[in-house]
Amino acid sequence: MRITSVQNPAVKHCVKLRTSGSYRRQTGSALLVGQDLVEEVAGSGASVAALVGLDGSPLPDIPAQRYVAVSEAVMAKLAGLESVSRGALAAEVALPPPADLLSLPPGALSRVLVLDGVQDPGNLGTLLRTALALGWQAAVLLPGCCDPFNDKALKASRGAAFRLPVAQHTVEEWERLLTVQSLVPLAAEPDRCAGSSGASSRAAGDARAAGVSAVAGPAPGGQQDAQQGQPEQPPRQQQLGPVGSLGEAQARLAALRLCLCLGAEGQGVSAAVRRRCRSVSIPQPGEMESLNAAAAGSVLMFALSAGAVPLLADLAALPHAD
């Protein structure tokens, strides 16, 4: 199929997929723009209804129901840009079904990201991408969050919402999930991320009270168990080092099942969520007042993930400069 007019009904359909969340939900489809994003999502097994490339340019080897060649003007219309490069690519793909986290057996989840009223698509997308990269098993979007299949969110997440189980829950449903999965809820508090020693010491005290005085990662089983609905295996016995060592910190935190809650930038989580959570914050010895939601959430997710302690151990072993 070849399309050269921006008034073509198929073009209008794709533009509406890019710009309207209600239309995406109605049709069960989303529009991906950009070769890297299309290849990433298609490689994850998403069903591609239409693969769209520029007329005269070869299409990548991606299975699709339809292959469409379009003019540069049409591709620019699809992408919402004034112009496009010769390698431009777009695709209509089926949305994944919402994750049914409440049906998972107890013990299936140990690291869950919860976003509460995060409306900035760049922040939301970055947080989902980070969660997927660090092995977090699922994400919960509470009321007030933007659509994870929004054009900007998709670009920021690199299509993470197609691979990371994402559920949309009410606060009451999230509270049920906490109970079923025995999750310890932590809330990132942006107003507590100041660089003062007082803020840092209070944060450390809260972290100790929450049982997160150090960093570690999820118990064995990880994301694959959550997607398959299987409970994780119990943590293996670990050889602990001296009290206060990185090894002990990792073992203690790995045994905890955690839920990290992040709210809108500058506001934090809602009062209903805050009531259920222990506050955590990032000590900031520098002179910047605060981090944005995506940066703060990424730092905290890494601190609670499997890679943090090994990285600290490697850095601690670096030789001193002469």
Side-chain angles (χ1 to χ4, degrees):
M1 178 186 295
R2 185 171 181 271
I3 299 176
T4 58
S5 171
V6 296
Q7 299 303 320
N8 187 289
V11 175
K12 294 181 179 180
H13 163 72
C14 287
V15 170
K16 200 168 181 180
L17 286 179
R18 178 173 58 79
T19 59
S20 171
S22 61
Y23 190 66
R24 285 191 292 271
R25 291 186 289 274
Q26 176 187 334
T27 59
S29 299
L31 183 73
L32 308 180
V33 177
Q35 184 168 349
D36 289 344
L37 177 60
V38 171
E39 291 181 343
E40 188 95 25
V41 172
S44 70
S47 176
V48 180
L51 187 64
V52 185
L54 285 173
D55 195 8
S57 297
L59 290 173
D61 186 17
I62 294 176
Q65 297 175 27
R66 299 187 307 279
Y67 296 92
V68 185
V70 300
S71 64
E72 290 190 15
V74 168
M75 184 63 80
K77 182 73 172 179
L78 296 182
L81 301 172
E82 292 185 1
S83 62
V84 293
S85 64
R86 289 302 303 170
L89 195 68
E92 178 183 347
V93 299
L95 293 176
D100 187 9
L101 302 183
L102 290 172
S103 69
L104 295 177
L109 299 173
S110 62
R111 290 295 185 276
V112 178
L113 173 68
V114 175
L115 302 182
D116 180 19
V118 176
Q119 298 178 345
D120 183 272
N123 282 339
L124 184 139
T126 299
L127 289 165
L128 293 182
R129 179 177 181 175
T130 302
L132 181 65
L134 295 178
W136 285 55
Q137 298 152 310
V140 173
L141 306 185
L142 295 179
C145 287
C146 72
D147 185 350
F149 301 101
N150 169 292
D151 180 44
K152 292 180 180 178
L154 280 174
K155 290 177 181 177
S157 72
R158 203 177 171 94
F162 284 90
R163 288 178 289 167
L164 180 71
V166 178
Q168 300 204 17
H169 284 335
T170 64
V171 172
E172 291 74 19
E173 289 170 332
W174 165 69
E175 290 178 320
R176 283 169 49 201
L177 182 68
L178 293 179
T179 301
V180 171
Q181 296 296 331
S182 300
L183 296 169
V184 176
L186 308 176
E189 292 292 345
D191 59 334
R192 293 166 46 83
C193 289
S196 69
S197 58
S200 298
S201 61
R202 289 195 303 272
D206 282 346
R208 284 193 295 273
V212 291
S213 55
V215 291
Q223 193 175 63
Q224 183 175 0
D225 287 337
Q227 291 171 327
Q228 295 176 353
Q230 300 296 322
E232 296 180 52
Q233 298 301 314
R236 294 187 295 270
Q237 294 295 321
Q238 299 188 41
Q239 185 67 37
L240 300 184
V243 173
S245 71
L246 288 177
E248 182 179 10
Q250 183 176 31
R252 287 180 174 178
L253 197 57
L256 288 175
R257 318 186 86 75
L258 299 174
C259 169
L260 177 63
C261 304
L262 299 162
E265 195 165 313
Q267 300 174 9
V269 297
S270 62
V273 172
R274 187 179 296 112
R275 281 195 296 268
R276 289 297 308 269
C277 294
R278 297 180 185 272
S279 297
V280 293
S281 59
I282 303 166
Q284 292 179 217
E287 297 182 0
M288 182 58 65
E289 181 180 352
S290 64
L291 298 172
N292 71 15
S298 297
V299 170
L300 288 170
M301 277 191 282
F302 178 69
L304 297 168
S305 299
V309 168
L311 175 60
L312 290 174
D314 288 344
L315 294 175
L318 290 174
H320 293 286
D322 293 334

